[in-house]
Amino acid sequence: MSTKPAAVIQAFFDPGTWTFSYVVYEGEGSPCVIIDSVLNYDPKSGRTTSTSADELIGFIQTHQLKTEWILETHAHADHLTAAPYLQSHLGGKTVIGTHITDVQKVFKGVFNLDERFKSDGTQFDRLLKDGESLHFGNLTLKALYVPGHTPACMAYEIGDAIFVGDTLFMPDVGTARCDFPGGDARTLYRSIQKILAYPPETKLYMCHDYPPNDRPVAHMTTVAQERAENIHVHQGITEDQFVQMRTTRDQTLEMPVLILPSIQINIRAGHFPEPDSNGISYLKMPLNAL
């Protein structure tokens, strides 16, 4: 009787943005995927560095892995993706959900981008629909559409694990905010229920952790733990209760430090804006717009 191959999951933590990136593979020399990479960015100088991405590259090269897919769960507002940098060193194709076009259209207006910016998702190599699968070696990844934090959020199911992006955090942290353009608390609640309908032993891998009470950072929990203990959406919390809590809480939150540079880069699949005549790329900073 044959058994399904098991996925090996290696987490990487970027302390500057509290972000977890993942390399998922089967074994030495096998194909792999990368999920939610980080390009380090200093908002004071506007300078990018590749410390976090180089850690992924070193791991992949050490284990002689072949990068098939470089995935984003959504267009992040708190860190820049390193996808083009990784692609230039490792190959692979960039992937995000089909609804990235909705996000691109919104922020094309926010940043008043000209006709050179296409809001059709073509900056990415592959756009995934809900339920669509990708294969890498003997492993399969299934896309789950989980909007609410943004209108384009995807989670990725590999075996008994789900990479949830920003839909859920560790149980003592709660859930993602919904006050960015296109976000919606009621939609997020329904997306979370979609994830929590999986078997209780299903492993949930976080994109971020913001640990309270000096708890060490953690990147994995389970459906059972989230159902029982999530401070925002544990079992028994109704949709209306969640919407009231989330809406009230979001009104107290500041914008992420890197939202303006992150969104402009991430809706371009990590590529910088076209350089000006002096060879330098520039980002826009809309005043009093958000």
Side-chain angles (χ1 to χ4, degrees):
M1 180 177 176
S2 63
T3 58
K4 291 183 179 180
V8 180
I9 299 169
Q10 181 65 45
F12 299 84
F13 182 62
D14 176 64
T17 61
W18 304 90
T19 302
F20 286 103
S21 304
Y22 297 95
V23 175
V24 186
Y25 63 106
E26 187 179 348
E28 296 289 317
S30 72
C32 73
V33 300
I34 300 169
I35 300 173
D36 288 337
S37 64
V38 175
L39 183 70
N40 306 107
Y41 176 80
D42 176 14
K44 299 184 293 297
S45 66
R47 182 167 293 279
T48 61
T49 53
S50 58
T51 303
S52 292
D54 288 336
E55 190 177 358
L56 274 66
I57 291 171
F59 179 87
I60 287 169
Q61 291 177 339
T62 296
H63 294 277
Q64 300 180 316
L65 306 177
K66 179 185 177 184
T67 304
E68 297 281 355
W69 307 102
I70 302 171
L71 297 115
E72 310 291 344
T73 53
H74 61 294
H76 307 274
D78 45 26
H79 70 271
L80 281 62
T81 175
Y85 179 80
L86 292 170
Q87 197 172 32
S88 70
H89 286 76
L90 301 170
K93 295 183 178 181
T94 56
V95 182
I96 202 166
T98 55
H99 289 272
I100 186 61
T101 56
D102 299 331
V103 176
Q104 289 177 326
K105 288 168 186 172
V106 168
F107 283 101
K108 183 171 186 174
V110 170
F111 293 110
N112 195 31
L113 302 177
D114 62 28
E115 68 282 350
R116 291 176 296 177
F117 176 77
K118 305 300 181 185
S119 54
D120 58 3
T122 52
Q123 299 86 347
F124 298 84
D125 296 316
R126 181 75 177 267
L127 302 182
L128 286 183
K129 299 177 182 178
D130 184 35
E132 195 171 359
S133 294
L134 293 177
H135 302 284
F136 54 111
N138 296 311
L139 298 173
T140 300
L141 172 149
K142 180 182 176 183
L144 305 174
Y145 183 43
V146 287
H149 171 60
T150 80
C153 288
M154 302 295 283
Y156 299 119
E157 178 186 352
I158 304 175
D160 64 351
I162 301 176
F163 299 84
V164 298
D166 283 11
T167 54
L168 282 164
F169 299 138
M170 293 298 290
D172 58 356
V173 179
T175 58
R177 64 194 298 166
C178 298
D179 58 330
F180 297 153
D184 183 81
R186 198 167 296 279
T187 301
L188 179 62
Y189 180 89
R190 295 171 184 176
S191 293
I192 289 171
Q193 300 311 311
K194 182 177 178 179
I195 293 171
L196 297 186
Y198 274 76
E201 66 275 13
T202 304
K203 300 181 181 76
L204 303 180
Y205 286 84
M206 308 290 105
C207 183
H208 299 285
D209 189 29
Y210 309 100
N213 306 318
D214 298 320
R215 167 177 65 72
V217 293
H219 64 272
M220 193 272 287
T221 181
T222 65
V223 165
Q225 288 171 307
E226 293 283 10
R227 287 179 190 168
E229 302 171 16
N230 188 288
I231 58 173
H232 293 165
V233 71
H234 59 76
Q235 203 154 8
I237 297 293
T238 67
E239 183 174 316
D240 287 341
Q241 287 173 323
F242 177 80
V243 170
Q244 176 62 37
M245 177 284 301
R246 190 70 264 172
T247 303
T248 301
R249 178 172 171 77
D250 287 350
Q251 291 172 353
T252 70
L253 300 177
E254 296 182 350
M255 285 287 108
V257 172
L258 298 185
I259 184 171
L260 294 175
S262 293
I263 291 293
Q264 290 179 77
I265 297 298
N266 294 340
I267 60 175
R268 293 178 165 93
H271 297 286
F272 295 173
E274 290 187 22
D276 277 9
S277 58
N278 61 359
I280 297 174
S281 294
Y282 291 86
L283 297 173
K284 290 186 171 185
M285 304 296 283
L287 300 178
N288 304 314
L290 293 180

